[in-house]
Amino acid sequence: MLYSSEVEKMCPIAKGVDHGPAPIPEEGKWVQAKEIKDISGLTHGVGWCAPQQGGCKLTLNVKDGIIEEALIETIGCSGMTHSAAMSAEILPGKTILEALNTDLVCDAINTAMRELFLQIVYGRSQTAFSEGGLPVGAGLEDLGGTLRSQIGTMYGTKAKGVRYLEMAEGYVTRLAVDDDDLIIGYEFVNLGKLMKAIKAGEDANEALKKATGSYGRFADATKYIDPRHE
């Protein structure tokens, strides 16, 4: 250790009380985190790229400082999906410090990792007060039984109004409109359920019927429109 001449000339003063770091909540217990291995929890981070043309939601399940599970959801950029594929292979097995300093290929994923790191080392995880945390595999619960991200896509213009294209329930096929040209409901296809049924050997047309549902006062509409072509 090198010291400047000014420091070398100083007389030593004893250090007073040192309480250590403030304890943070982790998986149902309070922890004074001093090393990376002291960090555990499941939490999320959201990131964006420099041109802000795409975004990422990153979910990590960390046990004793090691990433045991990673869920990466991206939207808005075609290249980002390929970056997510690489990142999902890169992240598990790394410490959260390694992951923070690893090129995860895409700016949005790197930013999500930064935001998640900050949250989890400050004790702001989703499992802060859950005793024992969540098992590896819990990240998939965000996707539900069909293992598909929930996406909302809406488009609107002053001249023609709004179009619902994709809701949490699924791909919107028709909008229900009343006498005042107001949307009062919509029809959707749950693509996760559709593909699950088709993969199980069900006829595609029958599977489509079973995966189709509606929301709101869909049956009371004066007219129905295709949001993509009308």
Side-chain angles (χ1 to χ4, degrees):
M1 184 72 69
L2 296 175
Y3 296 96
S4 67
S5 58
E6 289 83 358
V7 173
E8 287 282 6
K9 293 174 183 176
M10 292 178 182
C11 62
I13 299 293
K15 190 173 184 178
V17 176
D18 180 10
H19 296 295
I24 60 174
E26 288 186 20
E27 300 192 338
K29 59 184 183 293
W30 291 93
V31 177
Q32 283 188 303
K34 298 180 180 180
E35 301 178 34
I36 290 298
K37 65 180 179 63
D38 296 328
I39 302 295
S40 294
L42 181 143
T43 196
H44 316 279
V46 174
W48 52 95
C49 62
Q52 298 192 31
Q53 65 184 23
C56 168
K57 177 192 169 191
L58 174 63
T59 303
L60 297 183
N61 198 350
V62 179
K63 302 290 186 185
D64 301 321
I66 304 294
I67 297 169
E68 297 289 346
E69 174 185 16
L71 170 64
I72 304 166
E73 300 172 83
T74 62
I75 190 168
C77 171
S78 57
M80 193 184 295
T81 61
H82 298 276
S83 300
M86 296 179 68
S87 297
E89 203 168 341
I90 290 169
L91 285 168
K94 287 189 177 293
T95 69
I96 55 170
L97 184 59
E98 284 180 299
L100 182 67
N101 289 288
T102 296
D103 181 8
L104 299 176
V105 190
C106 165
D107 281 351
I109 304 173
N110 284 319
T111 303
M113 183 63 225
R114 180 194 71 198
E115 297 300 311
L116 185 152
F117 181 90
L118 290 173
Q119 288 176 200
I120 202 166
V121 297
Y122 283 125
R124 270 66 170 181
S125 72
Q126 270 58 48
T127 53
F129 299 102
S130 301
E131 187 174 353
L134 290 172
V136 175
L140 289 179
E141 292 179 6
D142 273 9
L143 303 180
T146 58
L147 300 185
R148 190 171 187 275
S149 297
Q150 294 187 57
I151 298 172
T153 307
M154 315 298 157
Y155 178 73
T157 61
K158 181 181 176 182
K160 300 295 182 178
V162 70
R163 299 293 187 276
Y164 302 167
L165 303 175
E166 184 124 6
M167 302 291 269
E169 299 93 340
Y171 180 95
V172 178
T173 52
R174 290 190 293 167
L175 299 180
V177 180
D178 67 9
D179 290 329
D180 297 318
D181 288 332
L182 295 173
I183 295 173
I184 59 172
Y186 54 86
E187 180 185 69
F188 61 86
V189 175
N190 187 311
L191 296 179
K193 289 182 179 178
L194 174 65
M195 293 308 300
K196 187 175 181 179
I198 291 174
K199 286 197 295 183
E202 193 164 341
D203 175 75
N205 290 320
E206 285 301 312
L208 180 61
K209 289 179 184 177
K210 291 180 180 178
T212 299
S214 64
Y215 181 84
R217 294 187 293 117
F218 186 77
D220 300 332
T222 302
K223 62 180 177 180
Y224 300 96
I225 67 169
D226 183 331
R228 290 168 178 80
H229 300 292
E230 295 182 68

mmCIF file of all heavy atoms in Angstrom, residues 193-207 210:
data_model
loop_
_atom_site.group_PDB
_atom_site.id
_atom_site.type_symbol
_atom_site.label_atom_id
_atom_site.label_comp_id
_atom_site.label_asym_id
_atom_site.label_seq_id
_atom_site.Cartn_x
_atom_site.Cartn_y
_atom_site.Cartn_z
ATOM 1 N N LYS A 193 -52.519 -20.845 -25.341
ATOM 2 C CA LYS A 193 -53.457 -21.970 -25.284
ATOM 3 C C LYS A 193 -53.617 -22.617 -26.658
ATOM 4 O O LYS A 193 -53.718 -23.839 -26.769
ATOM 5 C CB LYS A 193 -54.814 -21.488 -24.780
ATOM 6 C CG LYS A 193 -54.842 -21.122 -23.315
ATOM 7 C CD LYS A 193 -56.244 -20.700 -22.892
ATOM 8 C CE LYS A 193 -56.288 -20.347 -21.413
ATOM 9 N NZ LYS A 193 -57.643 -19.897 -20.986
ATOM 10 N N LEU A 194 -53.656 -21.778 -27.699
ATOM 11 C CA LEU A 194 -53.819 -22.296 -29.062
ATOM 12 C C LEU A 194 -52.679 -23.239 -29.426
ATOM 13 O O LEU A 194 -52.903 -24.368 -29.883
ATOM 14 C CB LEU A 194 -53.879 -21.123 -30.048
ATOM 15 C CG LEU A 194 -53.903 -21.489 -31.530
ATOM 16 C CD1 LEU A 194 -55.175 -22.238 -31.889
ATOM 17 C CD2 LEU A 194 -53.740 -20.246 -32.400
ATOM 18 N N MET A 195 -51.443 -22.793 -29.218
ATOM 19 C CA MET A 195 -50.286 -23.606 -29.596
ATOM 20 C C MET A 195 -50.169 -24.854 -28.728
ATOM 21 O O MET A 195 -49.773 -25.924 -29.198
ATOM 22 C CB MET A 195 -49.013 -22.772 -29.502
ATOM 23 C CG MET A 195 -48.934 -21.640 -30.517
ATOM 24 S SD MET A 195 -49.213 -22.198 -32.218
ATOM 25 C CE MET A 195 -47.879 -23.380 -32.417
ATOM 26 N N LYS A 196 -50.548 -24.728 -27.467
ATOM 27 C CA LYS A 196 -50.501 -25.882 -26.568
ATOM 28 C C LYS A 196 -51.450 -26.976 -27.053
ATOM 29 O O LYS A 196 -51.102 -28.163 -27.071
ATOM 30 C CB LYS A 196 -50.873 -25.440 -25.148
ATOM 31 C CG LYS A 196 -50.698 -26.507 -24.087
ATOM 32 C CD LYS A 196 -50.986 -25.940 -22.698
ATOM 33 C CE LYS A 196 -50.781 -26.989 -21.615
ATOM 34 N NZ LYS A 196 -51.033 -26.434 -20.255
ATOM 35 N N ALA A 197 -52.645 -26.560 -27.478
ATOM 36 C CA ALA A 197 -53.632 -27.527 -27.969
ATOM 37 C C ALA A 197 -53.196 -28.154 -29.283
ATOM 38 O O ALA A 197 -53.343 -29.370 -29.484
ATOM 39 C CB ALA A 197 -54.988 -26.837 -28.133
ATOM 40 N N ILE A 198 -52.666 -27.345 -30.191
ATOM 41 C CA ILE A 198 -52.218 -27.868 -31.486
ATOM 42 C C ILE A 198 -51.065 -28.857 -31.301
ATOM 43 O O ILE A 198 -51.033 -29.921 -31.926
ATOM 44 C CB ILE A 198 -51.808 -26.706 -32.416
ATOM 45 C CG1 ILE A 198 -53.041 -25.903 -32.836
ATOM 46 C CG2 ILE A 198 -51.081 -27.236 -33.652
ATOM 47 C CD1 ILE A 198 -52.735 -24.655 -33.626
ATOM 48 N N LYS A 199 -50.143 -28.517 -30.412
ATOM 49 C CA LYS A 199 -49.013 -29.426 -30.147
ATOM 50 C C LYS A 199 -49.480 -30.737 -29.521
ATOM 51 O O LYS A 199 -48.818 -31.772 -29.663
ATOM 52 C CB LYS A 199 -47.979 -28.748 -29.254
ATOM 53 C CG LYS A 199 -47.156 -27.691 -29.967
ATOM 54 C CD LYS A 199 -45.883 -27.332 -29.209
ATOM 55 C CE LYS A 199 -46.148 -26.680 -27.897
ATOM 56 N NZ LYS A 199 -44.894 -26.274 -27.217
ATOM 57 N N ALA A 200 -50.611 -30.675 -28.824
ATOM 58 C CA ALA A 200 -51.160 -31.895 -28.212
ATOM 59 C C ALA A 200 -51.915 -32.748 -29.217
ATOM 60 O O ALA A 200 -52.434 -33.812 -28.877
ATOM 61 C CB ALA A 200 -52.069 -31.523 -27.050
ATOM 62 N N GLY A 201 -52.015 -32.267 -30.482
ATOM 63 C CA GLY A 201 -52.641 -33.055 -31.546
ATOM 64 C C GLY A 201 -54.047 -32.651 -31.896
ATOM 65 O O GLY A 201 -54.693 -33.295 -32.735
ATOM 66 N N GLU A 202 -54.543 -31.592 -31.280
ATOM 67 C CA GLU A 202 -55.913 -31.160 -31.565
ATOM 68 C C GLU A 202 -55.995 -30.484 -32.935
ATOM 69 O O GLU A 202 -55.042 -29.841 -33.380
ATOM 70 C CB GLU A 202 -56.387 -30.196 -30.469
ATOM 71 C CG GLU A 202 -57.867 -29.931 -30.503
ATOM 72 C CD GLU A 202 -58.368 -29.308 -29.201
ATOM 73 O OE1 GLU A 202 -57.661 -29.413 -28.174
ATOM 74 O OE2 GLU A 202 -59.455 -28.728 -29.218
ATOM 75 N N ASP A 203 -57.128 -30.634 -33.598
ATOM 76 C CA ASP A 203 -57.355 -29.973 -34.879
ATOM 77 C C ASP A 203 -57.213 -28.466 -34.699
ATOM 78 O O ASP A 203 -57.732 -27.890 -33.739
ATOM 79 C CB ASP A 203 -58.751 -30.306 -35.391
ATOM 80 C CG ASP A 203 -59.085 -29.542 -36.666
ATOM 81 O OD1 ASP A 203 -58.563 -29.901 -37.726
ATOM 82 O OD2 ASP A 203 -59.858 -28.559 -36.561
ATOM 83 N N ALA A 204 -56.521 -27.808 -35.643
ATOM 84 C CA ALA A 204 -56.215 -26.384 -35.506
ATOM 85 C C ALA A 204 -57.466 -25.523 -35.416
ATOM 86 O O ALA A 204 -57.521 -24.570 -34.630
ATOM 87 C CB ALA A 204 -55.345 -25.926 -36.672
ATOM 88 N N ASN A 205 -58.487 -25.843 -36.199
ATOM 89 C CA ASN A 205 -59.718 -25.051 -36.176
ATOM 90 C C ASN A 205 -60.450 -25.195 -34.838
ATOM 91 O O ASN A 205 -60.988 -24.222 -34.296
ATOM 92 C CB ASN A 205 -60.639 -25.449 -37.329
ATOM 93 C CG ASN A 205 -60.093 -25.009 -38.677
ATOM 94 O OD1 ASN A 205 -59.552 -23.918 -38.802
ATOM 95 N ND2 ASN A 205 -60.222 -25.866 -39.676
ATOM 96 N N GLU A 206 -60.472 -26.418 -34.308
ATOM 97 C CA GLU A 206 -61.105 -26.640 -33.011
ATOM 98 C C GLU A 206 -60.302 -25.952 -31.902
ATOM 99 O O GLU A 206 -60.871 -25.374 -30.977
ATOM 100 C CB GLU A 206 -61.221 -28.138 -32.723
ATOM 101 C CG GLU A 206 -62.304 -28.840 -33.509
ATOM 102 C CD GLU A 206 -63.686 -28.245 -33.238
ATOM 103 O OE1 GLU A 206 -64.022 -28.057 -32.046
ATOM 104 O OE2 GLU A 206 -64.403 -27.946 -34.212
ATOM 105 N N ALA A 207 -58.999 -26.029 -32.012
ATOM 106 C CA ALA A 207 -58.131 -25.387 -31.023
ATOM 107 C C ALA A 207 -58.331 -23.876 -31.031
ATOM 108 O O ALA A 207 -58.344 -23.230 -29.977
ATOM 109 C CB ALA A 207 -56.672 -25.729 -31.313
ATOM 110 N N LYS A 210 -61.531 -22.949 -29.162
ATOM 111 C CA LYS A 210 -61.389 -23.080 -27.715
ATOM 112 C C LYS A 210 -60.489 -21.986 -27.119
ATOM 113 O O LYS A 210 -60.640 -21.611 -25.955
ATOM 114 C CB LYS A 210 -60.824 -24.456 -27.364
ATOM 115 C CG LYS A 210 -61.796 -25.593 -27.640
ATOM 116 C CD LYS A 210 -61.184 -26.939 -27.278
ATOM 117 C CE LYS A 210 -62.152 -28.073 -27.564
ATOM 118 N NZ LYS A 210 -61.543 -29.403 -27.252
#
